[in-house]
Amino acid sequence: LYSAVCATHIVFNSAYNRDSFLQGVESLLHRLPEKLPASLIANLAAKATLLPVPVSLQSKSAQGVRNRAQVPQLVWNHRWEYDKGPELLLASLRELKRRDIKFNLHLLGQRFRQQPEALVTLQQEFAACLGHTGYIDSRMEYEALLQQADYVLSTAKHEFQGIAVTEAIQCGCLPILPRQLSYPELIGKNYCYPCDQDEAGQAQALVEQLLYWQQLDKHTRQSIWQDMPVQNCVWAYLKEPYQQLISTIIGD
């Protein structure tokens, strides 16, 4: 907060990031005994800019989505930590199994010495369904795997932009993301599964989103994919806004 007050410009990588910050400031001010200027939040909002972190692929990005696979290739590419919702991921895989829906899952991302129990259980319970597991050191190999997958999943409880998801979508994966955090603005609210239910309800909603994508023909899937706002999170699109922002700061 001190840094934001002192700054000439504040840059957020998503509207969710900006709004949650301003709401947090407002909540904090209500708890402080000091009388701070009533205009503080308005002043912060006035000098705030939205500018995503650009995502550029080393390999040639996918030209579009794949044909519907009989056995969907799923990717979950996040840090193996609790804020990425591993419990919901496990519940969702169990829901797929309950419905007798076949799938393969690449469980990607950085692992730590302490792993969430849900991910330990998942690897034991769904060993036969797992493809690559863990972090991929080679950037080219990582992108190649994303370009072979059909869907990217998120079960996150905390996400300010969603760079890993953006990479997967740019590689041709269709997204299965919660209707919260930064995801609605990343791909469009209508293509996010609702998350205003308990864990079992969210797992069912995630599976329904997968089935929704599966029943669409390739032309429709391709059209939706091309129109997603996430397609603008590339350096070619963001270079000019970054140059303008830096020029403005230097000019000030």
Side-chain angles (χ1 to χ4, degrees):
L1 176 55
Y2 282 134
S3 298
V5 169
C6 295
T8 305
H9 297 269
I10 317 169
V11 184
F12 295 93
N13 58 5
S14 67
Y16 170 75
N17 190 359
R18 176 199 60 199
D19 295 345
S20 60
F21 171 74
L22 294 175
Q23 290 164 7
V25 171
E26 184 176 17
S27 176
L28 174 64
L29 295 185
H30 286 317
R31 299 197 303 271
L32 293 178
E34 297 88 350
K35 294 292 184 181
L36 296 176
S39 60
L40 176 61
I41 296 175
N43 291 341
L44 292 173
K47 58 183 180 180
T49 300
L50 298 183
L51 199 55
V53 175
V55 175
S56 298
L57 304 177
Q58 290 187 6
S59 58
K60 186 177 180 181
S61 60
Q63 298 302 307
V65 299
R66 263 71 68 188
N67 290 317
R68 283 174 298 189
Q70 294 253 336
V71 179
Q73 300 291 313
L74 313 178
V75 168
W76 188 88
N77 55 339
H78 307 277
R79 285 180 287 103
W80 289 31
E81 293 188 300
Y82 295 94
D83 65 331
K84 299 306 179 183
E87 296 84 3
L88 176 56
L89 176 63
L90 177 58
S92 300
L93 298 190
R94 286 171 172 169
E95 178 65 14
L96 286 168
K97 182 178 180 180
R98 187 186 71 81
R99 299 195 193 192
D100 197 27
I101 298 174
K102 306 299 182 185
F103 67 91
N104 290 322
L105 173 68
H106 300 287
L107 192 64
L108 308 183
Q110 185 180 7
R111 289 187 283 191
F112 303 92
R113 189 161 41 196
Q114 293 285 341
Q115 293 184 25
E117 186 61 34
L119 292 181
V120 175
T121 301
L122 186 156
Q123 292 173 82
Q124 297 169 347
E125 194 171 319
F126 292 95
C129 304
L130 293 181
H132 188 96
T133 302
Y135 188 77
I136 300 178
D137 291 320
S138 167
R139 180 72 190 186
M140 295 294 286
E141 290 179 13
Y142 170 66
E143 292 179 10
L145 189 150
L146 293 181
Q147 291 176 1
Q148 295 167 14
D150 302 301
Y151 304 100
V152 58
L153 308 180
S154 173
T155 50
K157 301 176 183 177
H158 177 273
E159 189 67 81
F160 279 140
Q161 179 173 337
I163 291 177
V165 166
T166 300
E167 291 170 340
I169 294 173
Q170 289 180 358
C171 283
C173 293
L174 287 169
I176 302 176
L177 314 176
R179 195 178 297 166
Q180 63 178 0
L181 310 175
S182 59
Y183 292 131
E185 61 186 288
L186 193 67
I187 66 166
K189 181 179 179 180
N190 292 339
Y191 301 112
C192 295
Y193 63 84
C195 49
D196 54 350
Q197 310 168 68
D198 60 13
E199 186 176 88
Q202 292 182 59
Q204 292 175 19
L206 185 153
V207 172
E208 288 297 327
Q209 184 64 32
L210 170 62
L211 295 176
Y212 166 78
W213 286 129
Q214 282 286 91
Q215 56 89 27
L216 296 177
D217 62 72
K218 185 178 180 181
H219 175 77
T220 304
R221 289 151 57 98
Q222 173 81 1
S223 178
I224 295 172
W225 177 79
Q226 288 177 324
D227 290 340
M228 286 182 180
V230 69
Q231 303 295 358
N232 296 330
C233 294
V234 295
W235 179 240
Y237 185 87
L238 294 171
K239 178 181 178 180
E240 185 174 346
Y242 266 93
Q243 289 177 328
Q244 291 175 347
L245 176 64
I246 294 170
S247 298
T248 299
I249 294 173
I250 294 174
D252 290 348

